[in-house]
């Protein structure tokens, strides 16, 4: 621990046209550019100029419903971030990928490569994929239960971290004179055999600059929380209220402690979607403009899917019927935790259906704030200093305009208050987040075996 | 068909330190840079300046044996090519990936994304992975037989091409005023259900600039040839002699014809590894320098693996014992076809074991030529004009020096002879290779149904 004051972490959450569901209809977005590499490169360069920790890109291996009314579908994140890596120097690159629908060998290889190509800026947002219709894209008759998905995810991480360690850091000799490229005793078969995952190894790429990519996780279900406490180095989460965020923060830090980890090894980063104006009224006008562009048919379909009920034809200007939330039998664990957030809003505020749809249109259950740059900065500072957040995943309502407003007007205030860096102090994503580089398990085992004296404890090398 | 003279296709085959197995030991290579994005970007920029069709990157999901003596292990190709795409404008980008060890949905998404990010320059070198020890990296007890691998590959391609077509080219409306992003009747479930592959679709990315990435194939086994005749738009192949290359060329073109394809829709591109000197003697000195850097222990192990016999301790300066090629019972179909090439060399030339190992060290069974730029150009022209090749996959013995020699000295001769372009005439890899953009099958079905008059033939859209 250094004596420097604790600093915020801030990520830009990339989302094709922006995080508001009607972003693509608003003149401040560029939906015609969402398949264009330059679009994402320019957003990342703006974020890097503001010294943000990382860009983050969500994903799922299925076309989400509602393409008639919303700009769903977008380039694959890992490749998009490789393109961004080629045109940036410092900013972290966090891509989402599913442990349920990828093979560990392939995915470990992709993230190790991204870490090499970016000189140590890769992060992996680990998801198990809640969307049930993804299963049919992978030859499965039914979507695996959350328990099965998280059991596989745990084995996947155990296998992947071994693969990332399979080359010790000093395995490559590059001895041209003697004709020895590598020391085979420092390249290890991993021989991981679990119930869901089996991998022999070694990986076919040397250990990457960060050792392991930064491990990020976003599930808020109970199974997700336990997985996060065990594995995650950063957690993206959704909370509407300070007290809920504080409870989650305390729960995760305690869970990490139970797994033998220090609290500061897990960064908690709620989503925040800021509408920014030179006055609060101006910010609210922008929010209303976007809300009025929503298509109620789309919003009802999304909410109905979340609640597991058909809401077609629901009266928009009457209060939300509370019974929508009572059934909810056949929804996923993940959907249930998001549904609880929505039910909380309805119980506290008793909105009309139209008002609720507008509320949800903002950022899919994440916190929406509208105000001046100072007001947005105040909110960020409050959550940061009151045990609710270590930083934020910033979700601009529309891109690129919403990012410009945040980096031009909010970031300088946070910097002036001493809460956020004015220059990068390191080169890797681990540096930005204050996370250590993981020791190589095989090197550690060798050292431990040598301490014991026998010298026979480390697993033998291969090839 | 245009009246322009037939033009060579030339690709740069990227291989970490170069294609000669001792390349990493030679001062003209840069093995310390093989995990560095800039290294690959600079090689591709040199190839682009010479107007080459594409860069090509081989791969397999396993660490090949021999890391003690050779620079095996390298970054994942699709990501590396995405990085190259960010710093080039025209050159094609062909990555290798395995149908045996990838999921069709994931891989179709990656290649569609590479095609978007590069504005239409993606190619996929389709392999089924001959290396038997890859299976253990994917939880399999045994490596699938070639028949099973190619049966899966065929289904994989049928599923992937449907996924790439699942958005019709005009599916996106982007009608901000009406709030309609896409026409759901033009986005299709693919509902592919085979014995090895099942995919529901649609893909979660719109149709890419080339429609489908260029489909490339490299297997020379019988199963591989039939697959290639059905699917491949370009074929990478290995031949030592003109007459063998001519026979292969005729066989593949005839096979394509049987599958209802025109001969010019399949480009045949043998590998060629040129040692280039200002005199032939100088070229041979370079070749000898590299051969003398080989490690016999490594070469014997590689040859023994290919032949399925243990060659440890074989006398290096005695003639190769012919009986090592007689057993060869337990080798793969793919290994057998490579082994036939090696047996042919031994029967014709009766080399010592050391001489054979040097011969194989050059480019793993591909053709090695040593000579002046004119001599190398003569060889290329002869094969091109005598029905043995539509172009070449250029395999520099050491990188970057071997590439510099080829583009600085051989390419200008081929250009002066009118055999190779002096400027790109198109922007996509399909343009460079003279391949058409595939029609979208759902658009075609709709048009056919409308011709029939019922208007009910095209499959309905989704979402």
């Amino acid at each position: 621990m250094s004596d420097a004051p604790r600093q915020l972490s801030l990520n830009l959450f990339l989302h094709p046209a922006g995080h508001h569901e009607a972003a693509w209809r608003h003149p401040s977005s560029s939906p015609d550019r969402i398949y264009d590499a330059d679009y994402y490169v320019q957003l990342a360069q703006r974020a890097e100029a503001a010294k943000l920790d990382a860009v983050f890109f969500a994903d799922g291996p299925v076309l989400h419903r509602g393409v008639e009314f919303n700009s769903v579908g977008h380039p694959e994140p890992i490749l998009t971030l490789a393109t961004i890596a080629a045109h940036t120097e410092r900013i972290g690159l966090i891509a989402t990928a599913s442990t349920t629908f990828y093979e560990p060998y392939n995915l470990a290889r992709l993230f190790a490569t991204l870490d090499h190509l970016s000189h140590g800026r890769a992060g992996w947002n680990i998801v198990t994929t809640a969307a049930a219709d993804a299963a049919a894209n992978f030859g499965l008759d039914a979507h695996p239960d959350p328990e099965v998905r998280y059991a596989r995810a745990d084995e996947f991480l155990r296998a992947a971290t071994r693969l990332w360690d399979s080359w010790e850091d000093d395995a490559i000799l590059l001895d041209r004179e003697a004709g020895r490229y590598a020391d085979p005793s420092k390249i290890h078969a991993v021989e991981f055999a679990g119930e869901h995952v089996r991998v022999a190894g070694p990986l076919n790429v040397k250990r990457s600059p960060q050792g392991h990519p930064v491990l990020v996780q976003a599930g808020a279900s109970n199974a997700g929380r336990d997985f996060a406490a065990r594995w995650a180095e950063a957690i993206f989460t959704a909370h509407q209220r300070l007290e809920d965020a504080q409870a989650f923060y305390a729960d995760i830090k305690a869970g990490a402690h139970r797994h033998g980890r220090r609290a500061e090894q897990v960064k908690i980063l709620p989503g925040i979607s800021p509408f920014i104006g030179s006055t609060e009224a101006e910010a609210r006008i922008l929010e209303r403009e976007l809300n009025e562009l929503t298509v109620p048919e789309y919003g009802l379909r999304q909410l109905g899917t979340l609640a597991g009920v058909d809401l077609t034809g629901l009266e928009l200007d009457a209060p939300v019927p509370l019974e929508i939330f009572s059934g909810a039998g056949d929804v996923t664990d993940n959907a249930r935790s998001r549904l609880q957030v929505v039910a909380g809003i309805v119980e506290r505020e008793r909105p009309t259906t139209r008002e609720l749809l507008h509320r949800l249109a903002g950022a899919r259950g994440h916190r929406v704030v509208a105000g001046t740059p100072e007001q947005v900065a105040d909110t960020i500072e409050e959550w940061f200093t009151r045990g609710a957040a270590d930083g934020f995943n910033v979700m601009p309502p529309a891109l690129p305009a919403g990012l410009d407003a945040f980096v031009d007007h909010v970031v300088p205030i946070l910097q002036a208050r001493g809460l956020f860096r004015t220059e990068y102090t390191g080169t890797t994503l681990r540096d930005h987040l204050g996370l250590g580089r993981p020791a190589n398990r095989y090197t550690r085992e060798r050292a431990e075996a040598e301490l014991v004296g026998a010298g026979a404890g480390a697993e033998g090398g291969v090839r």
Side-chain angles (χ1 to χ4, degrees), chain A:
Chain A
M1 293 293 291
S2 79
D3 292 332
R6 180 169 162 260
Q7 293 279 294
L8 276 166
S9 290
L10 294 174
N11 299 323
L12 166 62
F13 186 165
L14 290 169
H15 202 66
H19 288 272
H20 194 285
E21 76 180 34
W24 73 274
R25 298 184 66 185
H26 194 266
S28 64
S29 74
S30 301
D32 53 319
R33 298 189 63 206
I34 68 173
Y35 287 95
D36 184 352
D38 290 344
Y39 173 66
Y40 296 102
V41 167
Q42 287 160 13
L43 291 170
Q45 287 175 332
R46 288 241 59 192
E48 184 171 72
K51 317 301 177 194
L52 265 54
D53 294 68
V55 292
F56 162 65
F57 208 149
D59 201 44
V62 64
L63 181 65
H64 291 300
R65 292 179 183 271
V67 68
E68 181 170 4
F69 303 118
N70 200 351
S71 57
V72 300
H74 57 76
E76 193 281 333
I78 309 177
L79 276 179
T80 306
L81 295 184
T83 303
I84 291 174
H87 286 292
T88 54
E89 296 287 331
R90 296 294 190 93
I91 195 161
L93 308 162
I94 304 172
T96 301
S98 172
T99 54
T100 305
F101 298 117
Y102 245 102
E103 285 285 348
Y105 199 90
N106 292 337
L107 200 58
R109 178 97 184 289
L110 288 168
F111 277 105
T113 297
L114 183 63
D115 205 43
H116 280 295
L117 297 177
S118 66
H119 301 286
R121 296 187 280 142
W124 171 21
N125 179 40
I126 306 158
V127 297
T128 67
T129 307
D133 45 3
N137 287 332
F138 295 86
L140 301 180
D141 292 318
H143 192 54
D145 290 334
E147 300 71 39
V148 173
R149 299 206 310 272
Y150 277 103
R152 177 178 162 93
D154 187 66
E155 291 187 2
F156 197 116
L157 267 289
R158 289 160 64 198
T161 51
R162 281 167 173 75
L163 287 169
W164 291 321
D165 285 352
S166 59
W167 296 51
E168 295 187 51
D169 288 310
D170 58 353
I172 294 181
L173 304 170
L174 211 53
D175 185 344
R176 282 175 153 177
E177 193 59 38
R180 292 192 78 217
Y181 178 71
D183 178 348
S185 76
K186 293 186 173 174
I187 300 178
H188 302 267
V190 306
E191 301 296 358
F192 181 84
E195 193 181 336
H196 305 277
V197 165
R198 282 194 296 149
V199 181
L203 200 58
N204 51 359
V205 51
K206 74 171 184 178
R207 198 162 194 252
S208 76
Q210 293 188 116
H212 307 169
V214 173
L215 301 179
V216 180
Q217 204 264 358
S221 66
N222 287 335
R225 284 194 195 199
D226 189 64
F227 179 85
R230 168 135 175 60
W231 288 106
E233 299 175 292
I235 296 176
F236 296 152
T237 179
H239 298 291
Q240 294 286 329
R241 297 190 305 171
L242 178 67
E243 52 268 42
D244 297 336
Q246 288 169 325
F248 180 83
Y249 188 98
D251 182 58
I252 290 286
K253 300 270 179 173
H257 188 73
R258 282 195 300 277
H259 283 285
R261 306 171 64 200
R262 294 199 316 274
E264 61 271 25
Q265 289 177 295
V266 188
K267 306 292 174 187
I268 309 221
L269 309 173
I272 186 170
S273 189
F275 289 90
I276 299 162
S278 58
T279 63
E280 184 176 335
E282 192 182 299
R284 299 224 172 267
I285 287 169
L286 178 60
E287 182 179 18
R288 195 169 63 236
E289 276 178 12
L290 274 152
N291 283 342
E292 287 173 354
L293 290 172
T294 57
V295 177
E297 182 181 347
Y298 175 82
L300 283 177
R301 203 189 285 180
Q302 298 291 106
L303 180 60
T305 299
L306 184 67
V309 291
D310 182 3
L311 300 180
T312 312
L314 195 67
E315 170 58 52
L316 292 173
D317 294 309
V320 177
L322 287 172
E323 58 270 26
I324 296 179
F325 303 104
S326 57
D330 192 27
V331 300
T332 64
D333 197 26
N334 194 303
R336 186 170 295 114
S337 61
R338 287 184 54 211
L339 200 59
Q340 282 166 358
V341 172
V342 178
I345 295 172
V346 172
E347 280 162 24
R348 284 194 304 277
E349 306 176 18
R350 305 305 301 266
T352 65
T353 295
R354 191 187 302 278
E355 287 164 350
L356 179 65
L357 293 183
H358 286 173
R359 183 72 172 271
L360 299 179
R364 306 181 304 285
H366 286 272
R367 185 143 177 264
V368 176
V369 297
T372 63
E374 288 73 16
Q375 288 173 316
V376 173
D378 289 347
T379 291
I380 288 174
E381 181 168 3
E382 183 185 24
W383 283 42
F384 179 60
T385 56
R386 293 188 57 195
D390 295 311
F392 291 87
N393 221 14
V394 180
M395 305 168 70
L399 288 168
L403 173 64
D404 292 345
F406 186 80
V407 300
D408 290 343
H409 302 295
V410 180
V411 168
I413 295 170
L414 297 170
Q415 289 171 327
R417 294 181 188 179
L419 298 171
F420 190 64
R421 70 175 71 84
T422 54
E423 284 300 337
Y424 289 109
T425 54
T427 61
T428 70
L429 179 55
R430 290 188 173 279
D431 290 338
H432 306 338
L433 293 170
L435 298 168
R437 185 175 189 268
N440 185 297
R441 84 181 57 216
Y442 298 103
T443 309
R444 194 180 59 227
E445 285 173 10
R446 179 200 309 281
E448 287 166 1
E450 284 170 4
L451 268 183
V452 171
E459 289 179 37
V462 295
R463 289 147 213 253

